Amino acid sequence: MSYTLDQLNTAPEPEALQMLAGIYEHSPWIAAAALRQRPFASLAQLKHAMAEVVTRADTDAQLALIRAHPELAGKAAIAQSLTAESAQEQNQAGLTACTPQEFARLHELNAAYNARFGFPFILAVRGPRGTGLQRTQIIAALARRLHQHPDAERAEALRNIHRIAELRLNDKFGFTPALGNMVWDWHEQLARHSEPEFAAQGQLSVTYLSDAHRTCAAELHALMQASGFDAVQLDAVGNVVGRYHGATPGARALLTGSHYDTVRNAGKYDGRLGIFVPIACVRELARAGRRLPFALEVVAFAEEEGQRFAATFLGSSALVGDFDRAWLDQRDAAGITLRDAMQRAGLRIEDIPSLRRDPAQYLGFVEVHIEQGPVLCELNLPLGVVSAINGSVRYLGEFIGEASHAGTTPMNRRRDAACTAAELALYLEQRAAQDGDSVATMGQLGVPQGSVNVVPGRCSFSLDLRAPNDAQRDRLAADVLAQVERIATRRGLQYALQETLRAAAAPSAPAWQRRWEAAVQALGLPVQRLPSGAGHDAMKLHQILPQAMLFVRGENGGISHNPLESTTSDDMELAVRALQQLLANLAAEIST
Amino acid sequence: MSYTLDQLNTAPEPEALQMLAGIYEHSPWIAAAALRQRPFASLAQLKHAMAEVVTRADTDAQLALIRAHPELAGKAAIAQSLTAESAQEQNQAGLTACTPQEFARLHELNAAYNARFGFPFILAVRGPRGTGLQRTQIIAALARRLHQHPDAERAEALRNIHRIAELRLNDKFGFTPALGNMVWDWHEQLARHSEPEFAAQGQLSVTYLSDAHRTCAAELHALMQASGFDAVQLDAVGNVVGRYHGATPGARALLTGSHYDTVRNAGKYDGRLGIFVPIACVRELARAGRRLPFALEVVAFAEEEGQRFAATFLGSSALVGDFDRAWLDQRDAAGITLRDAMQRAGLRIEDIPSLRRDPAQYLGFVEVHIEQGPVLCELNLPLGVVSAINGSVRYLGEFIGEASHAGTTPMNRRRDAACTAAELALYLEQRAAQDGDSVATMGQLGVPQGSVNVVPGRCSFSLDLRAPNDAQRDRLAADVLAQVERIATRRGLQYALQETLRAAAAPSAPAWQRRWEAAVQALGLPVQRLPSGAGHDAMKLHQILPQAMLFVRGENGGISHNPLESTTSDDMELAVRALQQLLANLAAEIST
């Protein structure tokens, strides 16, 4: 028998506290503090409120919370002194059925972990879908986290505790993220298709028009059809486009979607989440037999990652009339031209110009995407609203000083190219931080043929500068370039600097950003605005339509372009709910 | 008819000024200021005094001095409006006989040089031996210097002007550096022998026991014999040892010398100068039939540079009883063991232990060496006295942060390994400068597989720390290691750090350093003490004997391990005179 949120909101405090007993292991102070914020509009709001109590607590309290947890397959498990919740969780993960070797390995890792961090290893063993990790996954996570920095590891332990609390709360309140689980399973299903050389290593790689890519297109096509779309087609660049008609013929459409291609050795959610979330919404509409006062057009873009050919955003470029025929002569690593690849896949290149969308027929473009960054993860927030896709500019550079004997050249007579680059790197850090939402990175840095006993005569570096709007990016770039000149002059070095990329910022359309904000608020969650540092299909659609994006929290600190990329089915559920909310609000707007 | 220094010292000022007219092109203010320091004990003192006047002048006056010079093979040459001195110098260099192509190239380079620096290209065309550069050498120097930093190039122009002044002064005072020229020619002679693959490219390379190396040994053997040594032998490690007996049998010996092996693509003076200077002294003694109250033992060490085998200081190690038999199994790049190489060369490995010198039989060890650094060059001083051979310690390290998306990771959530290394690089600079005579270098620095759009998760680096004594080196190292820890902790990174080398400092024996100082002062030159950043044979001899070194100025900013390494025959002359002075003073000390 499970509780309702209404019961929690109206119960006297001792009873409410009892309802939340055991959510945070041996730590009733968390529920007590959170309950002062009653009433809660949603479980998501309650979860966030409790996490915030922990975030605001001091380090000692946080460490006490972590230490209140039992070791996985540890002494308490053997002594059968676990809390009921822990016992069930460890049991589900099969930890009580470890082989002797696994027990030994776990014991060894647990001991090393404890010695390093001073607290037990905490992992939400029911995992991101709430259905249980394998013992081998648990051991791998423990081995990986053993090498993290202590601060990072404490934060990760707390995040796992919040995830454990979320799953326990779901149980108590009889909540299952059914839509989220469905979307999760669709990702798993699609991720079965990977290029053979990667599949052989258990890795995901789906680059443009590979066999795996074409299989994915066919599967997305079938899924859209099965989900109740009125019309589904594979277009001339390989996009899978599903249309769910509006209440009236000729109604304008809301365009949404993201890409289904991946980087090499990718995560499963980058791009695809923005396809499956709207499919889930259409599926729910179709099952309910509901029509909106506008059409929904969901595009699974064929290419965004720029992995196989130099050109990128092939799918969304076609929709904005920006597909450059010169790209057709580009060759992949095997020497196959883009033209040949498209022809072999049966795509009709001559039809590409007709893919251009007429803005008059569309309301706008929205895109759901996994954040690919740490912000939401660190704030314990499942959703965030994108304020802008950052503009960027990149440079490759080199400082040219004078190589000299490291032993015989006094400090004040050096022209050290590495120290000069070092000074620039620290300036980048400080200057970008000044803006708050700019980023500046020296991702490449190296002394060519450096010797331990030679003062570096040359040092090469890259600069990647991004800001939420072009003016801010340009001010950042101007300051950085001026600093390059200033540092070089003061130190008596020369330099070379070459701009290699410049991409305009795509600020969210205010009205559409507000619609996402309203949707997030309707779920009981605080609105977190954040810029997107990475590029997205929305950046291309920005050329012809107002656009705004919703970000979904990534687990593991938001790591992306990496098999560790993840989110949870709870967060996926919230993403579906947010898009449903946006559609409902938009329907209301249009009807009135 | 030439002047004497005595005439200059006693002449009324207008006449003295007239005697120095034309030394510095169209700039009598330099001589005027310098003459206030009369009397001069030596031409070297006068030269330094005039150079100092220029050094202390402001930048405008320095630029005016540079601009007072004609372009090489320029308009003035064509219009025949050069000063008599310039006309003669340009004529000697064959510049008045350029081919039309050479004129065109010179004209083009001169124009580019003028455009870049705003002053004409100045080169002492009579070169380091005072006998004239080739036209091709002049064009090469112009092409090279065109790319220097303007500050460095202004300093180099002034140094060339000082060299021009030196040669003009020599002419006026009828002075020829005969011993210096002889020593210069010996270097040229020995540098004809180079390993074939380097010789083919006009490069010098003489590594241990190569054919070129053995030819050098034979030539040195012959030179010592021809110079009047009483006994010359090739010892069991390949050292060439010459002995010039003292006045009485059984007198103790002063040991001196340096190495005759070279690095690959080397300069001609590194090591060899310290062999030829004492040979010149012995030659003068023998020609005069003079004996000192002590013997002189001059060693041409076979190996110091560590180029062919991993072990280094093979020659001097044998003399201090430190030759490690385990080295015999080391292999060169071709797989030949040190043992095989020595046996093929006919060296008797079993005799090596007998090479150990008995300290009781020796007064001490002195070594003359080219500076291999910029200090004397920048101070316009031909000689300097080494205060210590620096102790050193080296580390290889890596910072381990977290690789993340350069676009999506906010500045305050990064664990950027490159910025962390950058902070350390700047600390090194500042911390070593604090000591004044310590040096600290991050010669290797790199982000492995860095990408322009990825925040560096790893950054590897090297540290090379040196100081004139071990305590100072250890304090420097302790501070640097503490800073590594501090920076890593503050930024939340891990690091690995491994010590790869630790060499003790060899401070000069005070009595022997004072003897060099007295010798330099006797030549009318100010005493400049400086540590040696590089290692030298004296560092090994330090284990058994008191030692001190004399440094000779390197041209071209003191560049070394490079074909541009050079000094002048004037400076070589002063080095011979300084050693003669030391020997004379020591003889006086011992006799009294």
Side-chain angles (χ1 to χ4, degrees), chain A residues 84-104:
Chain A
E85 289 86 353
S86 282
Q88 195 196 352
E89 288 154 3
Q90 297 208 15
N91 203 27
Q92 278 181 357
L95 284 173
T96 45
C98 278
T99 66
Q101 290 78 5
E102 286 169 336
F103 257 125

Side-chain angles (χ1 to χ4, degrees), chain B residues 487-557:
Chain B
I487 297 173
T489 302
R490 177 165 40 74
R491 290 178 169 265
L493 280 86
Q494 298 185 266
Y495 65 89
L497 201 62
Q498 187 198 353
E499 185 179 310
T500 56
L501 177 144
R502 178 172 290 262
S508 301
W512 287 95
Q513 182 180 329
R514 273 195 302 275
R515 289 185 184 106
W516 276 126
E517 290 171 6
V520 168
Q521 270 171 323
L523 299 176
L525 289 167
V527 170
Q528 174 69 33
R529 299 178 189 90
L530 72 172
S532 168
H536 293 292
D537 291 301
M539 215 162 103
K540 287 309 287 183
L541 274 302
H542 183 81
Q543 296 178 17
I544 60 164
L545 287 177
Q547 59 78 25
M549 295 183 69
L550 179 75
F551 270 176
V552 180
R553 160 169 59 187
E555 298 290 294
N556 302 318

Side-chain angles (χ1 to χ4, degrees), chain B residues 384-413:
Chain B
V385 179
V386 174
S387 53
I389 302 171
N390 284 353
S392 65
V393 57
R394 292 182 185 171
Y395 303 88
L396 288 179
E398 184 176 40
F399 283 114
I400 302 128
E402 190 170 64
S404 59
H405 195 299
T408 60
T409 316
M411 297 312 290
N412 60 359
R413 289 192 174 80

Side-chain angles (χ1 to χ4, degrees), chain A residues 147 372 378 407-408 413 429 533, chain B residues 372 378 407-408 413 494 533:
Chain A
H147 298 290
Q372 304 184 275
E378 294 194 359
T408 60
R413 289 191 174 80
E429 249 190 336
Chain B
Q372 304 185 276
E378 296 195 357
T408 60
R413 289 192 174 80
Q494 298 185 266

Side-chain angles (χ1 to χ4, degrees), chain B residues 31-44:
Chain B
L35 282 172
R36 282 180 215 125
Q37 295 170 50
R38 289 188 293 174
F40 295 105
S42 65
L43 270 187

Side-chain angles (χ1 to χ4, degrees), chain B residues 330-393:
Chain B
Q330 292 183 353
R331 288 178 189 275
D332 68 5
I336 300 165
T337 62
L338 176 55
R339 179 181 293 104
D340 284 349
M342 293 179 80
Q343 283 169 345
R344 285 185 209 178
L347 300 180
R348 295 164 52 90
I349 295 170
E350 62 276 22
D351 288 350
I352 292 177
S354 71
L355 300 186
R356 185 180 192 286
R357 297 302 194 265
D358 172 10
Q361 303 299 315
Y362 291 87
L363 295 165
F365 179 77
V366 294
E367 181 175 357
V368 175
H369 206 283
I370 190 163
E371 181 198 337
Q372 304 185 276
V375 177
L376 297 175
C377 180
E378 296 195 357
L379 293 173
N380 297 307
L381 281 172
L383 302 176
V385 179
V386 174
S387 53
I389 302 171
N390 284 353
S392 65
V393 57

